[in-house]
Amino acid sequence: MLERLRYVRQTFFDLVRAREIASVFLKYGYDDLARLLHLPRLLGLPTRRLRERAAAIRSLTKPQRLRLALEELGPTFVKAGQIVSSRSGLVPPDYVAELSRLQDAVTPMPFDSVEQVLNAELRRPWSEVFVSVDREPLGAASIGQVHRALLHTGEEVVVKVQRPGILDKVQTDLDILARFVGLLEHQVEEMRVWRPVALVEQLRRDLLRELDYQVEAGNMRRFAEQFRGRAGLKVPAAYAEYSTSRLLVMDLISGQKLAEFAAAEPAGPRRAGVAESIADLVMQQIFVHGFFHADPHPGNLMILPGPTVCFLDFGMMGFLPREGREGFASLVGAIAERDEEAATRALLELSEPGLGEARHGLSADMADFIHRNFNLAMKEFSFARVTRELLGLTARYHLVIPPDLVSMLKAFGQMEVVVRTLDPQRDLMAQARPFLRAVRLERVGPRRLVRTLADSGEDFVTLLRTLPRDLRSLLGKLRAGEGRLILRHDGLEPVRRSLDQVTNRVAFAIVLAALIVGNALIIHARMPPLWHGVPLVGLLGFLVTGFLGLWLLVSILRHGRM
């Protein structure tokens, strides 16, 4: 009984939240989509009042209205917009540019709520672990917020506290969103190629990972490990003994935010050195390790004395496997050599199979893209613009490149903005060439060839070892009469049904012809009983035969085939 009451309560809250979500989209002018999904009727929405309210935002562009709607709906939809903007081919470039501006700042939660989370996660009063925790947060977002604190052991730390109930709210939003996009995929045939249901499942995986602070702590440890011994880099350490899925305790980093450093440091070697170091670190993350910070904007970078660069906020990370790094290096190499055919092949190889279809004209558009962007002076070159145009090109030809590759392109673009702020004359392409060359050489290097041969040899040895056993098992089953050969032809079911239909109609027509001949013989022989001199059996037979013939004709006409 209690479980049933919980189910009824959850269903009620889901319905209330669904009405709220649909109302926000109606407010921002998406009534056509709501009507297509029958949402006003299903949820009982006051469409006229919402349309009048929407008149106030008609001066905004459609991408702006979408961004504002997502921000009003909270963290689930903000993250959904960010993921959609990172999927090439899903939305036009103007939507991508607007969704990239999604903000996640909210009113801080009261300190009483912070204390409740601290006590629950530490399983003791927080004062037994911390000497003090600042009541005012250093920053707040819709998922959590951070506070400065002091441990009893003397270390100054930062505590990242998750908002109470945010996990349940996000899961409710995800369930409702899954239902909405399920309706959308069912009602709008053009949307099926983009697999919106699969996109929501990806959003679910990404958001649940971000809601688990132990995953973020693991990201910090992995990031620090891959740069072990690297001078000029600081990675904050997490305190595992105090950290949980809802609480993260880490080093307090004292330094200048990047904007403060840029404002205080005059142009010169020190400033240029920091720019070179940031670019080098991001390129090493991407092209050497494949595990990279996916959001290196100025707010997530600090400059410490030395100067030393420190990355912050490891909740959003990307991973680019070796094949992706090699494919991207091939694409950039072909573009650098002005080879549009090779660049087109590289772009197609990077695309996810089965999601798009390359069409005629892609090579010509690639040549135009190369000509417009790679014949410019360095000060006019913009990697962010190149990324935007490349994603627009993939959208035009319904190509979808992997999300982590798009995240890498966006991270590279954010790094370019940071570096150009510090050193406008820096040639990032020249700095990237050694990394790209190393990735391309690794593909054909002796160590890689030896590893490939070793892997192939191991597979071959495994095959030789298991083949006799598998053959003996197969022969034993054949000898015992247990073996079966199953042939399956996909796509022949419609043909089989058509053949059955044709066969049945031919058999039916033969039976009708036989009845006609039989009835004619009966009438010719004048077999009694007679009715006005006509054999009654033959007359009834002709009536039945005529009805069956008419039935066959109607059936043929109804299926549109004579």
Side-chain angles (χ1 to χ4, degrees), residues 46-58:
T47 54
R48 179 179 296 178
R49 181 165 55 85
L50 288 168
R51 275 200 300 271
E52 290 171 356
R53 196 188 309 163
I57 51 93
R58 283 177 185 164

Side-chain angles (χ1 to χ4, degrees), residues 60-77:
L60 300 173
T61 65
K62 289 183 179 179
Q64 287 174 328
R65 298 207 307 261
L66 178 59
R67 176 178 61 81
L68 291 171
L70 296 178
E71 286 180 353
E72 186 170 329
L73 287 170
T76 309
F77 291 86

Side-chain angles (χ1 to χ4, degrees), residues 445-467:
R447 185 178 300 177
R448 177 73 176 278
L449 292 175
V450 169
R451 190 187 309 126
T452 302
L453 288 173
D455 291 342
S456 300
E458 185 178 346
D459 291 342
F460 187 67
V461 169
T462 302
L463 177 64
L464 289 178
R465 188 168 59 247
T466 59
L467 186 60

Side-chain angles (χ1 to χ4, degrees), residues 296-327:
H297 63 75
N300 284 336
L301 290 167
M302 292 191 75
I303 310 301
L304 282 58
T308 296
V309 178
C310 178
F311 286 82
L312 303 174
D313 192 354
F314 292 83
M316 191 181 297
M317 304 295 290
F319 177 72
L320 198 62
R322 184 190 295 118
E323 293 79 6
R325 300 198 296 271
E326 291 174 350

Side-chain angles (χ1 to χ4, degrees), residues 271-285:
R271 184 167 169 146
V274 170
E276 181 180 5
S277 180
I278 291 173
D280 196 68
L281 285 167
V282 171
M283 291 178 190
Q284 191 172 345
Q285 292 172 47

